[in-house]
Amino acid sequence: MDPRLGLRVVHKRYVAAVQAHYAGNLVDGAFALGLFGDVATEICIRTDGDEGLFASYSDVQFLNEIRGGDVVEATGTVVRVGRRSREIDFVALVVCRGRPDLVASAAEVLIEPMVAVRARGTVVVP
């Protein structure tokens, strides 16, 4: 069994208000994909000592909104190792949510993190 299988990398990021692009303080879906790219880069560095290149997504599901003021946890797990390719499952969870309905700076930790985006992607390394 390849020791790279199951490698998991987690990044957390605060979503600044300036990231909100749509009404209702919503952030565009590309924000999560950018987080996945950062996670994939770290995975490639850890598995192969190179930043690698993102080749494709085979599936992307936008399940819930990400808003300015949220804290998002992006996770990538290696699920397949080829000669030069690595397939990765990604999840973006909202773990904290801004509560501007209470006070402009209010926020709360979500008891149950909310799955915002799931994806599967392939990276290649030299």
Side-chain angles (χ1 to χ4, degrees):
M1 181 153 155
D2 193 307
R4 297 171 288 190
L5 275 174
L7 174 71
R8 185 172 178 253
V9 169
V10 179
H11 288 195
K12 283 189 182 179
R13 181 93 37 93
Y14 172 74
V15 183
V18 299
Q19 296 294 134
H21 186 71
Y22 298 104
N25 203 29
L26 297 179
V27 174
D28 62 20
F31 181 84
L33 299 183
L35 296 178
F36 294 161
D38 292 344
V39 168
T41 298
E42 183 178 345
I43 285 174
C44 289
I45 291 168
R46 290 183 178 278
T47 58
D48 297 279
D50 189 276
E51 290 183 354
L53 294 170
F54 214 114
S56 67
Y57 283 103
S58 58
D59 184 43
V60 177
Q61 299 171 25
F62 298 100
L63 303 168
N64 285 293
E65 71 279 354
I66 297 173
R67 299 179 185 162
D70 288 350
V71 174
V72 176
E73 181 178 283
T75 303
T77 305
V78 178
V79 294
R80 187 187 61 77
V81 175
R83 192 174 67 77
R84 291 186 48 225
S85 65
R86 316 290 175 249
E87 194 167 13
I88 304 168
D89 278 348
F90 298 99
V91 177
L93 298 173
V94 176
V95 295
C96 299
R97 169 120 306 161
R99 291 291 312 271
D101 56 312
L102 300 176
V103 175
S105 60
E108 65 184 358
V109 176
L110 298 180
I111 294 168
E112 188 70 33
M114 182 176 61
V115 177
V117 184
R118 287 190 191 279
R120 178 167 282 194
T122 301
V123 295
V124 293
V125 291

